[in-house]
Structure formats: C-alpha cells, structure tokens
Amino acid sequence: MRFEQYYEPKTTEECIRLLEEYGADCKILAGGTDLVPRLKNKIWRPQAVIGIGSLPDIDTIKVDQNGLELGACAKLRKISMDPSLAKDYKVIMEAAGNVSSMQIRNVATIGGNACNASPSADAIHGLIAMGAKAVIAGPEGVREVAVEDLFAGPGKTVLTRGELLLKFKVEAPKAGTGAVYKKFAIRGDTDISIVGVGCGITLKDDGTIEAVRISLSAVAPKPIRAAEAEKLLLGKKLTDELLDLAAETAENNCTPITDQRATAAYRKEMVRVWTRHAVKEAYERAKSV
Amino acid sequence: MKRMEINITVNGRKHELYVSPDRTLLEVLREELNLTGTKKGCDDSNCGVCTVLFDGMAVKSCTMLIPQANGHSITTIEGLERENSLHPLQQSFIDHFAVQCGFCTPGMILTAKAILDENPDATEEDIREGLHGNVCRCVGYKKVVESIEAVRDGEYSESCGEV
Ligand SMILES: Cc1cc2nc3c(=O)[nH]c(=O)nc-3n(C[C@H](O)[C@H](O)[C@H](O)COP(=O)(O)OP(=O)(O)OC[C@H]3O[C@@H](n4cnc5c(N)ncnc54)[C@H](O)[C@@H]3O)c2cc1C
Ligand code: FES
Ligand code: FES
C-alpha cells in the first residue's frame, strides 16, 4: 500500500477543494473498512487519501420531531445501539446492525456503506425503506437525492468530481408506518448477503396500504426497488394471496448473478421467500403503531 | 512519502510518532512499538487476530490506517497484565484450556474484554454474537465462551482483581 499525500480537512470547503484538485487521483477515507483492503490489494492506487472524520458534525446523529439526520461518518455500531432511534427508526438500527461483526461496525460508517455502492450493502436498506435522502456537497453547492438514486452500478455512485456525501435526512414517519430489513446469509451477519429485502409500509386507518417501499439487496448491479410489487400492493389490504403475488412479482423483477454464495436461480427463489417475510413483518409493525 | 506526526496512547503510555500515513495501526504497533502480541492473520479484516481496543471498543487494526488512530487510546494484549498477575480473562483462558496454538487468543481476549466492559451480564448468546468476528482454527469456541462466562460470573475477581 502506498499513497503520496494524506489530508484531513477541517472544513467542507477545504475538502471539496481537495476533491476537485485531485479528482480521480484521490479517495475519501471514512471508516476505511472497504477502502483500506482495496488500497492494500492495489485495486486502487490513489495519489492522495482524504480523511473526512474531522469535518464538522460529520458523525452526528440527531433526532427531533421533524425527523432524523445521520452524518455520513456516523458509525454503524453507534446507529445500531442508539436508543433515540428505537421508536421511529428501528429499521435503520437493524440494517446497520446487520453489517458484519462488532469490530467492523465500530469503525464502518453509514456514508461509507452507501458510497462503496456494493450491490450487497446492507445498512443502506434501512434508509431506503424509510425514504431517506442523501445530502451531497460539492463545488456547485448542496444537492439532495433519494438514497436509492445514489447508485450508478457496482462500486459507482452518482457523485461527480469534487462531491462528497455529507449526511442523510429521514422525515419522521407518519402514524401507521412500519419497516423492516431482512438479511439472508449462510453464516449470519459476518457473511455477505445472498439476498436482502427491506420494506416500509404506511397504512391508512382502514388498513389499506397508503405507501409501500420494497428494496432488494444482492440481486442486481445495484440496490433496487421492487417497483412492480409495490404497485401491486398500493391501495389494497394485505391478504395471503396478495402477499404471494407481490413476492412472485419481486422475484420476476430482479436480475441476480451466480457467484460463490449462490446461483442466480436460488437467489430469485430467495427473493420470493424473503420479500414475503419482509412485507408481512413490515405490515405487522405498521398495524401495531 | 512524507511522514506525519501521530499522537497515540498505547496501554496508558503516550507516544509521539513520525510515521508514514499509509501504514496500518497493526504495522505501527508491531514494527514501531514492538508490541507483537497483536497478530497478523488474514490482513484483510476477516479473522480478528489483530483485534485491539480503540477507546475501549474492539476494532481490527490490520485495516485501520494509522492517521485514524491519531489522538486515540489503544489497548493491546500487553496492556492487560497487572504487576503480579494476569488479567482475569487471561487466567481464565489458561485455566479453561481455551488456548491451543494461541494465535487467536490475544484478539479473543480483547474482544471478550470489550463485550464484558459494555455488558457485565452478557449472556452466552451475547458473548457468541460479540465474538462473531474472531476466528479460531484449533480450540473451537466452547472453551472460549466458558472462559468468558467464568470471568463474568466473578470467579477470578479474588485472584486477579476486577475485570
Ligand atoms: C470483513 C468485512 C465484512 C463486511 N461485511 C459487510 C456486510 O455484511 N454488509 C455490508 O453492507 N457491508 C459489509 N462490509 C463492507 C463495509 O464494512 C461497509 O460497506 C462499510 O459501511 C463501509 O464504511 P466505511 O466507513 O468503512 O467506508 P470506507 O472504506 O471509508 O469507504 C468506502 C467507499 O466510499 C467512499 N466514501 C466513504 N465515505 C464517503 C463520503 N462521505 N462521501 C463520498 N465518498 C465516500 C470511499 O472513498 C470508498 O470508496 C464488510 C467489510 C469487511 C471488511
Ligand atoms: S489480520 Fe486483521 S482481521 Fe485478520
Ligand atoms: S488457539 Fe489456535 S487459532 Fe485459536
């Protein structure tokens, strides 16, 4: 591992200036759990590494009546154990807690989980299930994108030269909202997901589904929404038949690959199984609040 | 590349080091400070033998760049021993035969300390969950868990002091 320069900017402006100056010749360092192995294996050979841990408020976790703000460098373990998230943002805690071991979660950040743009990233599905927005700062100012629109392909985000992810914003959920993330892996959380399914549901007073989000991990080149399945559920009451149909639709909507963890066919089948579990549980949670 | 000043406290001692920022915490502990109790196994954050405590939290030192440790406090296995006795967890691992080749042991013990420091009443399940990131290729985990439970249950507080 070798790089020529290490910077630790104290202001966002300075960070943006450095990112602009170096462009593709630099890499941002948050927790480093994805970055450092890649530097060591010489998959990436940047000239400069820019540590963002000293930027103001970059690891803040803030909850008020309007919603939640999560700094890009908030550690996954901190998120997974923060009691202030337990009432309204449980799915964000759970998805962060599904990443690997305690040692990794103590270091890994939520922003790194997103910007690494792995198709199998777990923590971001808590954010997608709750309709979170990513706040991006760059030379042109600040912009917001929905978390699911942050990804351009395996390892690629929509961030352009000079930009960094600052934080995530989540609106306080409406009454009757429940959400869940289900990770399916052979060796538990230390293992990379075979499939992961996130689901957030808001119910009207009469029990019909007012809003629904289903997100899938590890079954496409990037995290995806199961849009057809969502459409099917919208405005209806959940029955066993509808649940089966939605799960089948999600299965038909994804394009997984075969790798050392599972075959494409098995992944598809597991999407059906776990979509069923996730939708059902999100629905139960929505009913109980 | 240009070296940078790194201030870290290791096992209670302050160090001012001038090291290249492209080195890992593990390398600096082993090669600059001669603390070779922290092992290098997979070197890509899978096996856990390089676990140290970082401000009291268990982390894998093989994939942490040294600037990330700047201004922080590190505990390695060398920092647990007391003047006339081992740390309760060290003694318990020996008494329960939780050590075979011993390569995973420093990491196991530091992870165990992090688990019990955070939750002195950790159940077997909590302990196993906490040890998720530590791999042992010889003993198996039963004896490791038993050693930690014995310390949790206060069996060593008299001979070795508090955890
Ligand atoms: C043993 C092991 C097991 C793992 N298991 C899992 C798992 O089960 N599930 C899972 O989801 N992940 C897993 N991971 C992956 C990893 O831990 C997570 O993706 C983690 O959240 C990354 O965060 P980080 O802070 O370490 O990112 P870093 O490594 O610091 O950064 C990752 C990438 O994002 C960029 N980046 C980081 N922050 C920003 C920002 N604010 N703005 C712009 N770019 C940024 C970096 O330049 C880099 O390219 C595992 C990793 C290891 C080593
Ligand atoms: S050497 Fe660090 S986890 Fe294996
Ligand atoms: S005792 Fe040999 S690896 Fe655990």
Side-chain angles (χ1 to χ4, degrees):
Chain A
M1 175 168 58
R2 253 192 88 76
F3 47 84
E4 294 307 319
Q5 292 290 338
Y6 177 78
Y7 297 99
E8 209 167 289
K10 301 279 182 290
T11 65
T12 311
E13 295 72 35
E14 190 190 343
C15 186
I16 292 168
R17 194 184 52 70
L18 285 165
L19 290 169
E20 252 194 311
E21 182 187 327
Y22 281 95
D25 274 337
C26 72
K27 284 286 172 195
I28 288 180
L29 167 74
T33 60
D34 282 314
L35 178 72
V36 177
R38 244 165 259 174
L39 295 178
K40 287 211 268 193
N41 296 328
K42 303 199 168 66
I43 295 169
W44 287 335
R45 299 160 185 257
Q47 250 189 53
V49 168
I50 302 174
I52 55 169
S54 297
L55 294 178
D57 291 331
I58 197 73
D59 60 355
T60 309
I61 301 176
K62 200 180 93 200
V63 184
D64 61 24
Q65 76 269 27
N66 299 322
L68 162 70
E69 281 196 14
L70 275 183
C73 286
K75 303 271 192 268
L76 296 181
R77 187 125 190 282
K78 230 172 149 187
I79 295 171
S80 74
M81 302 196 313
D82 191 322
S84 71
L85 305 186
K87 188 175 149 274
D88 288 338
Y89 308 100
K90 197 168 169 198
V91 65
I92 293 175
M93 301 174 79
E94 288 171 340
N98 275 146
V99 172
S100 195
S101 58
M102 162 169 83
Q103 287 105 318
I104 297 290
R105 290 196 294 276
N106 275 334
V107 179
T109 67
I110 185 83
N113 196 256
C115 293
N116 192 53
S118 163
S120 63
D122 292 305
I124 51 163
H125 287 278
L127 297 170
I128 298 176
M130 298 218 50
K133 295 225 158 50
V135 180
I136 299 166
E140 316 294 330
V142 174
R143 64 184 176 119
E144 289 184 11
V145 302
V147 174
E148 62 263 38
D149 296 334
L150 202 55
F151 312 103
K156 290 217 160 48
T157 64
V158 298
L159 268 60
T160 57
R161 188 174 182 130
E163 285 189 322
L164 78 151
L165 177 73
L166 273 190
K167 62 182 170 190
F168 298 98
K169 289 203 311 206
V170 193
E171 274 178 31
K174 276 187 160 176
T177 300
V180 74
Y181 176 65
K182 294 282 184 193
K183 169 171 175 167
F184 173 56
I186 300 288
R187 292 179 184 81
D189 289 340
T190 19
D191 206 355
I192 305 292
S193 294
I194 290 175
V195 301
V197 182
C199 180
I201 287 181
T202 305
L203 296 177
K204 287 192 192 146
D205 286 343
D206 65 359
T208 53
I209 298 175
E210 184 184 344
V212 54
R213 314 167 64 84
I214 301 172
S215 67
L216 306 176
S217 168
V219 293
K222 52 184 183 174
I224 54 165
R225 296 262 302 267
E228 297 292 316
E230 291 174 0
K231 235 185 270 166
L232 210 70
L233 293 168
L234 210 58
K236 305 204 181 89
K237 284 191 177 158
L238 195 66
T239 60
D240 281 347
E241 296 74 48
L242 186 61
L243 189 57
D244 283 340
L245 200 59
E248 207 180 297
T249 310
E251 174 182 353
N252 294 332
N253 263 202
C254 62
T255 53
I257 54 163
T258 294
D259 66 8
Q260 73 272 28
R261 282 189 189 83
T263 61
Y266 183 65
R267 279 206 162 91
K268 279 183 102 95
E269 206 172 317
M270 287 304 108
V271 165
R272 177 160 47 80
V273 170
W274 289 93
T275 300
R276 211 173 184 290
H277 290 319
V279 173
K280 186 140 201 246
E281 199 167 323
Y283 179 78
E284 297 298 333
R285 284 188 182 184
K287 268 204 317 201
S288 70
V289 290
Chain B
M1 98 157 275
K2 210 168 89 219
R3 295 180 177 215
M4 70 182 275
E5 182 184 326
I6 300 286
N7 290 290
I8 47 173
T9 304
V10 181
N11 300 331
R13 228 180 105 190
K14 289 196 165 127
H15 296 270
E16 190 182 303
L17 304 171
Y18 288 87
V19 290
S20 176
D22 54 9
R23 298 179 74 190
T24 61
L25 173 60
L26 175 65
E27 285 166 1
V28 171
L29 289 172
R30 290 180 57 87
E31 293 161 21
E32 300 295 320
L33 301 176
N34 291 324
L35 294 169
T36 52
T38 310
K39 302 302 176 198
K40 184 197 260 192
C42 65
D43 207 20
D44 66 6
S45 56
N46 277 298
C47 73
V49 302
C50 64
T51 300
V52 298
L53 301 185
F54 181 100
D55 296 337
M57 296 177 308
V59 303
K60 295 182 175 180
S61 62
C62 67
T63 34
M64 193 173 243
L65 293 179
I66 190 64
Q68 292 178 270
N70 199 9
H72 294 275
S73 182
I74 308 295
T75 305
T76 69
I77 193 70
E78 288 90 345
L80 293 197
E81 189 181 322
R82 290 93 196 269
E83 207 164 311
N84 291 312
S85 71
L86 292 174
H87 184 277
L89 282 162
Q90 292 175 307
Q91 193 60 53
S92 182
F93 269 59
I94 294 171
D95 295 350
H96 289 85
F97 299 95
V99 180
Q100 198 171 63
C101 80
F103 200 73
C104 70
T105 311
M108 287 281 183
I109 289 180
L110 288 162
T111 306
K113 180 163 165 35
I115 296 168
L116 292 184
D117 283 350
E118 197 173 286
N119 178 8
D121 302 320
T123 61
E124 178 183 343
E125 202 186 315
D126 297 333
I127 293 170
R128 286 185 180 272
E129 168 61 33
L131 287 174
H132 231 136
N134 294 77
V135 179
C136 175
R137 65 186 173 184
C138 7
V139 179
Y141 303 94
K142 195 167 172 17
K143 293 290 162 193
V144 171
V145 174
E146 281 172 18
S147 313
I148 301 169
E149 287 178 321
V151 174
R152 174 200 64 197
D153 295 341
E155 287 174 31
Y156 286 84
S157 37
E158 214 166 288
S159 54
C160 300
E162 290 303 314
V163 183

